[in-house]
Amino acid sequence: MDVKKEIEELRREILRHNALYYGEDDPEISDSEYDALMRRLKELEDSRPDLITPDSPTQKVGAAPLEKFDKRPHRQAMLSLGNAMNEEEAGEFDARARKRMETEGPIEYVAEPKIDGLGINLVYESGRLAWAATRGDGEVGEDVTENVKTIREVPRSLAGGSPPPLAEVRGEIYMPISSFRDLNQSRELAGEPLFANPRNAAAGSLRQLDSRITAGRNLGLFAYQLGAVEGGPSLETQFDLLRVLEGWGFPINPLARLCRDLEAVTAYYREMVEKRDGLDYEVDGVVVKVNRLDWQRSLGERSREPRWAVAIKFPPRQKTTIIKDITVNVGRTGALTPAAELEPVEVGGVTVKRATLHNQDEIDRKDLRIGDKVLIQRAGDVIPEVVKFIDDGEHGRRPSYLLPRFCPACGTEAVRPEGEAVLRCINVNCPAQAKERIIHFTSRNAMNVDGLGEKLAARLYDEDIVKGVADLYRLDLETLAGLERMAEKSASNLLEALDRSKDVTLARFLFALGIRRVGEHVASLLAEAFGTLEAVMDASEAELLNIEGIGPEVARSARDFFQRPETRDLIGELLKLGVRPREAEPRVKIASAFSGKSVVLTGSLESMTRAEAGARIVEMGGKASSSISKKTDLVIAGKEAGSKLEKARKLGVKVIGETEFIKMLEEK
Ligand code: IVH
């Protein structure tokens, strides 16, 4: 077979396995088989560097582990939990425990959210974090110490003085839902496979051989148990245990609660069913633990599950229903987004009537049509989505669905730019876009104007009172109170809210402007990097690109936006009307030999770990990357630097050794 063909085939295969491994946490081949494919691809690319493309899996961070992790036996086994599917089964659990303890009275419990993440065992020797391992099979886990050390919430040493000689601290590593979305968004822009959910993203981030990748992902921790402890504090209850963990410096779930009896547990469970959608982490149930530790010991365990603890699961978030219709919404950037109008159905405690269908490709991929029976799901506070068509074989189906060719709001012909999945209305005066911009501008995470809902925004627009966001600050009591069905009190409340909104952080203001590809996260990166509105407006594409976390498409979009005369007029008007974006504290960045440089570390260093070296480079304004390309500015070669060093030489990238690197670090 010719080399080019083989390379292409290998890439396709590897990308498919990446998707299985990262996206589904469900690999089809073993790590060593994967390594063999990767090695063969590298070999071929080395022989034909002219065939290397930036999207080759060899050029990307986030490849699957190339070696296995070391194994770590746990001192005390990490048990799993029995499930109670509902309140009734929770009652049975309580009854069993009381019978075993031969008690007539109620049992006291600690109840807390069951975090949908990865169990972790953190081992502290004389108060220092010695190592960390995943749960594994409960007896033996994988050593992920270096990666865990990059997680800010994991204490390196126990606070509070007089630490025990040994303590196994157990908890859950998770990825906040907001970070999960940011991560997937940037992976989508980079053409990388998406993670299916926050749990998989956390697993994929923790099980990395290169801890710099873990460091770049925002992972959190909730500690909830102790394993083996030697010479620790004497504890009587589970609740005291949480206080001790807190005193040692661990994050404890603030929703953990002492419940005096089963009834209090049930009330807690109902409260959590209501609360789960408002949390920034996935919770899949409530864990209930007998509070008295001596009782926990007497109850013991049965087939790897404690008799003193149980997980009460939340109602499922998947249901089947019917797509009654498909409608199209025009967003503030003109994107035409199809939505499925559903036969209303209750999912996990909420009635669902609509689900987003994203775009035409998504509809085609899932082959969704009006009239179809479908499975829908809600994950976290994410908008409901259609998982798949369910073929019951009973009904004939309608023809495939095609998005309209014209904007449903203004009738302009919609376009689908090359390489994009989204169909767009490009009429800048499209009324639907204008309304959406107003709604976005005033929304809670933007200018936070209370009292201006979707309906009122549409009315103000349709009645020619507010045509653009600047008009909001020209509203007066007379006009507002004169609107039909508008009470004077709500009118004056709205005016007050508008007035309050003028004092706004730069990040919120940038987000409120509704720049394409600039979400909350990017807006705060811009605010931090530049400090003032003027500086953001005048930033060149290169300066924007220099910011860690901002890619070429975002940089271009922001630059285009601020260059438009309409933007400059609008911002001028808003400032004149009294909107004052507060200057942000610029991130302390030390101008150094690493500023703006893309640096690759290879081999091992004597004076520090690679993760530490990476962190120092980032602190000093550089970018630590794991693969070498033409864009690499500098390679730091430690001991036993292998193929990367060769590649650097081939590409003519500057290479320095450890001594020179240390010198550069000290020169700041
Ligand atoms: S206690 C013997 N508490 O759920 C007690 N586990 O299904 C075992 N989990 O492997 C653990 N949140 O990874 C406990 N608040 C919580 C938890 C929790 C999530 C996970 C944990 C465990 C799994 C069992």
Side-chain angles (χ1 to χ4, degrees):
M1 186 166 19
D2 87 10
V3 178
K4 189 158 179 238
K5 258 221 184 102
E6 194 183 344
I7 285 183
E8 276 165 5
E9 251 180 52
L10 278 165
R11 283 180 189 157
R12 253 198 311 278
E13 261 297 84
I14 291 171
L15 288 176
R16 192 171 72 81
H17 291 304
N18 279 354
L20 288 171
Y21 182 89
Y22 290 109
E24 280 143 51
D25 229 11
D26 185 22
E28 232 173 60
I29 54 173
S30 70
D31 288 357
S32 59
E33 284 168 306
Y34 179 92
D35 289 354
L37 292 176
M38 202 65 166
R39 258 198 311 277
R40 175 74 187 145
L41 177 58
K42 278 194 189 137
E43 209 174 276
L44 292 175
E45 286 184 344
D46 277 350
S47 73
R48 290 286 307 273
D50 58 311
L51 293 179
I52 298 179
T53 57
D55 63 354
S56 169
T58 58
Q59 306 298 304
K60 275 198 206 156
V61 283
L66 298 177
E67 311 153 10
K68 291 211 176 73
F69 290 92
D70 289 340
K71 298 279 179 274
R72 283 283 188 180
H74 307 301
R75 280 287 185 98
Q76 195 182 92
M78 291 178 81
L79 302 181
S80 61
L81 286 170
N83 287 328
M85 294 323 287
N86 46 43
E87 290 176 16
E88 197 185 322
E89 290 186 17
E92 289 163 12
F93 166 82
D94 176 70
R96 277 196 304 274
R98 280 192 301 156
K99 190 160 171 220
R100 274 195 165 258
M101 294 314 299
E102 293 173 357
T103 172
E104 293 292 306
I107 296 185
E108 205 175 47
Y109 294 101
V110 170
E112 61 196 16
K114 183 167 190 291
I115 314 295
D116 198 9
L118 278 102
I120 191 87
N121 187 23
L122 305 166
V123 180
Y124 290 82
E125 286 170 2
S126 307
R128 296 282 304 165
L129 176 61
W131 48 269
T134 60
R135 179 172 177 279
D137 61 5
E139 302 288 337
V140 179
E142 291 172 321
D143 187 323
V144 286
T145 312
E146 286 308 308
N147 297 345
V148 164
K149 281 184 178 168
T150 69
I151 302 173
R152 219 172 7 95
E153 294 191 334
V154 175
R156 293 291 193 99
S157 49
L158 302 181
S162 59
L166 174 90
E168 289 187 317
V169 175
R170 271 85 190 263
E172 202 82 356
I173 302 270
Y174 66 95
M175 184 177 286
I177 297 173
S178 52
S179 310
F180 162 71
R181 295 221 188 97
D182 285 349
L183 176 63
N184 262 356
Q185 203 178 18
S186 54
R187 288 176 76 85
E188 191 168 8
L189 288 175
E192 290 164 348
L194 303 188
F195 288 113
N197 53 46
R199 203 204 81 85
N200 283 358
S205 303
L206 197 64
R207 297 177 62 248
Q208 285 285 344
L209 270 197
D210 185 344
S211 42
R212 281 169 298 173
I213 297 173
T214 317
R217 306 270 171 85
N218 185 31
L219 295 177
L221 167 75
F222 283 123
Y224 47 66
Q225 284 296 132
L226 278 172
V229 182
E230 279 168 16
S234 66
L235 291 168
E236 288 184 359
T237 65
Q238 180 72 27
F239 207 63
D240 289 349
L241 186 157
L242 292 179
R243 296 284 84 81
V244 166
L245 290 175
E246 193 169 32
W248 281 348
F250 292 94
I252 301 302
N253 195 303
L255 298 169
R257 186 184 301 168
L258 189 60
C259 298
R260 51 198 294 260
D261 54 15
L262 176 69
E263 215 173 298
V265 167
T266 319
Y268 177 84
Y269 172 75
R270 291 185 187 164
E271 218 179 295
M272 290 305 128
V273 170
E274 297 293 316
K275 277 221 171 91
R276 69 191 290 209
D277 285 344
L279 301 173
D280 194 25
Y281 45 86
E282 290 270 20
V283 173
D284 55 355
V286 158
V287 183
V288 181
K289 302 169 185 174
V290 170
N291 191 35
R292 277 178 65 166
L293 296 178
D294 56 340
W295 284 22
Q296 288 189 5
R297 280 186 290 272
S298 350
L299 284 163
E301 65 186 70
R302 190 180 150 259
S303 53
R304 307 276 78 182
E305 286 174 8
R307 286 201 195 88
W308 47 268
V310 74
I312 319 178
K313 300 294 252 183
F314 284 150
R317 293 201 190 250
Q318 291 196 334
K319 280 281 176 67
T320 58
T321 185
I322 305 284
I323 300 184
K324 289 196 304 189
D325 195 7
I326 296 179
T327 53
V328 176
N329 177 59
V330 187
R332 62 173 210 275
T333 59
L336 303 191
T337 311
E341 305 295 333
L342 305 165
E343 195 66 68
V345 56
E346 196 252 46
V347 189
V350 173
T351 304
V352 175
K353 298 185 202 135
R354 306 179 95 195
T356 176
L357 295 175
H358 302 286
N359 53 49
Q360 185 74 53
D361 288 352
E362 185 82 358
I363 294 177
D364 294 348
R365 197 168 58 75
K366 296 180 177 164
D367 186 21
L368 300 175
R369 311 180 190 187
I370 297 171
D372 278 356
K373 183 169 174 185
V374 287
L375 183 69
I376 62 163
Q377 76 175 4
R378 283 174 55 230
D381 58 349
V382 182
I383 319 157
E385 58 175 8
V386 178
V387 182
K388 61 177 182 189
F389 161 62
I390 297 175
D391 192 358
D392 56 11
E394 283 172 30
H395 307 279
R397 297 181 76 197
R398 308 260 189 104
S400 299
Y401 176 84
L402 271 182
L403 273 165
R405 286 179 46 217
F406 299 93
C407 170
C410 69
T412 308
E413 191 169 358
V415 296
R416 181 169 171 175
E418 208 34 64
E420 284 192 27
V422 173
L423 198 63
R424 240 171 246 286
C425 163
I426 50 165
N427 172 12
V428 282
N429 296 316
C430 171
Q433 290 181 47
K435 284 182 211 172
E436 292 293 335
R437 277 197 295 269
I438 296 166
I439 292 164
H440 171 76
F441 185 81
T442 56
S443 63
R444 195 154 53 92
N445 297 345
M447 302 297 278
N448 191 19
V449 181
D450 232 6
L452 193 112
E454 218 159 295
K455 283 215 180 95
L456 182 55
R459 238 170 102 199
L460 290 170
Y461 182 88
D462 291 335
E463 297 192 19
D464 285 336
I465 301 170
V466 175
K467 288 309 228 191
V469 295
D471 294 336
L472 288 167
Y473 295 105
R474 298 196 182 93
L475 284 170
D476 56 44
L477 195 60
E478 204 183 332
T479 321
L480 273 178
L483 287 171
E484 230 176 285
R485 294 190 306 277
M486 175 67 121
E488 185 156 332
K489 183 77 189 136
S490 352
S492 71
N493 283 349
L494 176 55
L495 289 177
E496 266 170 41
L498 279 163
D499 207 45
R500 268 198 308 274
S501 77
K502 291 177 182 169
D503 180 25
V504 63
T505 62
L506 178 56
R508 276 172 173 270
F509 181 72
L510 291 171
F511 174 58
L513 289 173
I515 310 163
R516 229 179 117 195
R517 300 191 201 277
V518 178
E520 274 176 88
H521 174 64
V522 170
S524 60
L525 290 180
L526 292 174
E528 268 178 31
F530 294 103
T532 66
L533 177 60
E534 292 69 32
V536 178
M537 288 173 72
D538 293 338
S540 68
E541 208 170 309
E543 283 171 310
L544 288 163
L545 262 177
N546 230 341
I547 302 171
E548 173 97 9
I550 291 195
E553 306 197 33
V554 177
R556 200 170 318 122
S557 169
R559 177 76 188 133
D560 286 353
F561 179 83
F562 286 113
Q563 248 173 0
R564 271 184 239 143
E566 309 95 86
T567 303
R568 302 226 152 216
D569 290 349
L570 171 66
I571 291 178
E573 264 183 278
L574 287 170
L575 296 181
K576 231 190 286 161
L577 287 162
V579 176
R580 292 174 303 273
R582 277 200 293 274
E583 290 192 6
E585 288 280 311
R587 216 172 355 170
V588 236
K589 267 221 172 147
I590 314 155
S592 76
F594 299 107
S595 301
K597 297 258 163 73
S598 164
V599 185
V600 173
L601 290 153
T602 175
S604 56
L605 301 178
E606 276 176 2
S607 54
M608 62 185 90
T609 65
R610 281 168 45 153
E612 278 163 351
R616 297 286 297 273
I617 290 166
V618 172
E619 261 168 39
M620 292 176 71
K623 218 160 139 179
S625 147
S626 65
S627 63
I628 297 185
S629 71
K630 280 190 221 131
K631 286 200 195 136
T632 308
D633 296 296
L634 183 66
V635 170
I636 295 155
K639 266 211 210 124
E640 282 154 48
S643 63
K644 283 190 191 167
L645 183 57
E646 266 166 53
K647 190 164 166 204
R649 298 236 159 92
K650 248 185 229 161
L651 290 170
V653 178
K654 183 172 174 192
V655 179
I656 61 167
E658 179 162 2
T659 333
E660 202 172 330
F661 173 55
I662 304 287
K663 246 211 254 132
M664 285 172 76
L665 286 178
E666 285 164 357
E667 263 166 18
K668 62 174 176 189

